[in-house]
Amino acid sequence: MKSKNNLLPGLGFLLGLTLLLSSCSGAGEADSSSSESSVSASTDGGESEDSLAGAGSSSDVSSTDDVSEEVDEIAIKSTEDFVRITLVEFSVSNQKCSFGDGSLEIRAVLTNVTDKAILAAEVDADILDVFGESIGRGFNISTDETIAPGADANLGTWGNSCFRLSNRGDDRRLLEMKDELDTKANLVISVTRIAFDDGEVVQF
Amino acid sequence: MLSRSLFPLSLTFSLFLAGCSGGVVEPETESVDEAVPTVIEVPPEPQVDEFLEVNLVMFELDNEGSRFIDGYLFVEYEIRNLSGKGIEAIAATLTIESKAGELLYSENLNSESGLAPGAAASYGLYGDQRAPLLRRVPQWDLLLDLEDPGADAVVDLEIRKLMFEDGDLVVFREDVPEGIKIEVEE
C-alpha cells in the first residue's frame, strides 16, 4: 500500500514525461537516456535508483501510442522483488505481557529473495478493523539481523517477546475480539525500507 | 445538489428579464425555454437518526485523578438500534469543544460490540473505560479546569459508519478525523 502511494506521484510524472516525449519526438522515438531518467524520477530521492534502473527499456516507454498501456508495461519493483514475508502467528490473548492486561502476538518470517545480504529491514504491522481503520498504534516488527541471500529472519514476537495490551481503548477492542480476530481484524504488514550490505537502501 | 436546485431559479430569472425587456425576446431565451432540464433523482443521503438513537447520559470530569494521572474524563452515551437489522460495528468520533470552539478532546471510538435490532447499549468513556487525562497536554489542562463541563463545553459523538451483520455498510462520513494534536508541554 505504501509503496503504491509513494510511486503514484512518480507515475504521474512519468505519464507527463511520456506525453511530452511523444508530442516532441513523435510516437516511438524516445532514446534510452530519456527512458532511464524517467524511471529514476519515479524513485524516492534516488535511493532505489539501482533497483529500478533498467526496469523499463526505451521501447517500453514509447513503443505505443496508448499512454496507459505504456505505464502498465514498466516493471516497477515492489517489496516482493526483495523480500517474501510469511505470517506465522497473529493472535490476541489474556496472557500477561509485562505488566499489561493482555498480549498481542505477531510473528512472521522474512525471506531475502535477492542475491545480496540484507543488513536491516524496516517493517510495520498495522491492524485494521472492519471499516479499514487502524486499531490503535502500529507495531514495529523491524529486524537488524543480517540476512544472507535466500535466508530467513524472524519478525515480531518470537521467543518471550510480546506486544503488551492494556484494558482500555483500542487495546481493549483487540482483547475483546480475540476469538474472532480473523473476521474482525486485518493485519497489514508493510516493508518501508531495506538496507543492503553494499550500501544500497531501498525505500518503498 | 445546489446547482441543480438553483437551475429552475435561473430559468425563472431569465424569463423574468425577458419579460422586462420591453417585449423584445432574445432568441437565447427561447432556446432555454425549449431545453427542458432532465430531472435526475438523487438518492437522499443517509441520516444517522434513521438508524440510531443517540443520547448523552453522562459528561463528567474527575479532577482528582490518581498517582500518575491528573484526572479522568467520563462521557457515556446510550445508543439504540432503530434499524431492523443487527449492527456489527460502529465507527464514531467523540469530540469536546469549549464554548469558544477550541477542540479540547477528540478520540475515534470504533466498536465491534454488536447491537441487535431495537436494543440499546452504553457507548463511550465510562466505568473502567474512562479516559485518563494529563495536565501536561494543554488541551486537557483546559478540559480539567472546566467548572461545569455540561455548561462550559460541547460534547459530540459523530457516528461516521455503520456495519450491519448482513455485511451492509452505511457511511455518513468517509474520512477518519485526525483528532487532537497532542502537544505535551515540557
Side-chain angles (χ1 to χ4, degrees), chain A residues 142-160:
Chain A
S142 301
T143 178
D144 57 2
E145 185 182 326
T146 299
I147 313 163
D152 294 337
N154 291 337
L155 303 178
T157 54
W158 292 86
N160 293 324

Side-chain angles (χ1 to χ4, degrees), chain A residues 129-131 133-135 167-170 172-173 176-177 183-184, chain B residues 89-91 110 112 128-132 160-163 169 176:
Chain A
D129 64 14
V130 292
F131 300 107
E133 299 179 8
S134 286
I135 302 178
N167 200 18
R168 76 163 301 275
D170 283 335
R172 184 181 178 124
R173 286 174 67 199
E176 285 176 349
M177 63 173 73
T183 56
K184 293 194 169 181
Chain B
I90 297 173
N110 293 13
E112 290 76 23
D128 61 356
Q129 287 294 289
R130 61 192 177 170
R160 293 183 286 106
K161 295 168 191 171
L162 292 177
M163 174 73 81
L169 173 69
V176 182

Side-chain angles (χ1 to χ4, degrees), chain B residues 1-17:
Chain B
M1 177 73 84
L2 184 61
S3 60
R4 267 192 212 105
S5 60
L6 284 176
F7 183 74
L9 181 63
S10 64
L11 184 65
T12 311
F13 189 58
S14 302
L15 290 170
F16 175 72
L17 285 178

Side-chain angles (χ1 to χ4, degrees), chain B residues 108-172:
Chain B
N108 291 324
L109 292 176
N110 293 13
S111 168
E112 290 76 23
S113 300
L115 200 56
S122 290
Y123 198 97
L125 309 168
Y126 57 92
D128 61 356
Q129 287 294 289
R130 61 192 177 170
L133 301 175
L134 302 171
R135 285 196 177 274
R136 291 171 65 204
V137 178
Q139 294 92 335
W140 295 353
D141 190 33
L142 292 172
L143 185 60
L144 284 167
D145 281 341
L146 295 178
E147 289 187 7
D148 183 355
D152 300 336
V154 179
V155 60
D156 179 55
L157 182 70
E158 182 184 21
I159 307 292
R160 293 183 286 106
K161 295 168 191 171
L162 292 177
M163 174 73 81
F164 290 92
E165 288 173 351
D166 62 4
D168 279 355
L169 173 69
V170 179
V171 178
F172 307 104

Side-chain angles (χ1 to χ4, degrees), chain A residues 44-64:
Chain A
D44 289 332
E47 286 181 339
S48 56
E49 186 174 343
D50 289 348
S51 64
L52 292 172
S57 67
S58 60
S59 59
D60 284 338
V61 173
S62 56
S63 60
T64 169

Side-chain angles (χ1 to χ4, degrees), chain A residues 4 7-19 21-22 30-43 48-49 51-64 66-78 81:
Chain A
K4 280 182 184 170
L7 288 172
L8 277 177
L11 281 175
F13 176 81
L14 180 58
L15 192 65
L17 188 64
T18 309
L19 283 170
L21 288 172
S22 302
D31 62 24
S32 61
S33 61
S34 43
S35 167
E36 281 195 9
S37 66
S38 66
V39 172
S40 298
S42 68
T43 67
S48 56
E49 186 174 343
S51 64
L52 292 172
S57 67
S58 60
S59 59
D60 284 338
V61 173
S62 56
S63 60
T64 169
D66 188 332
V67 175
S68 62
E69 283 183 16
E70 292 164 12
V71 173
D72 288 342
E73 284 175 14
I74 296 171
I76 296 172
K77 294 211 170 183
S78 62
D81 296 306

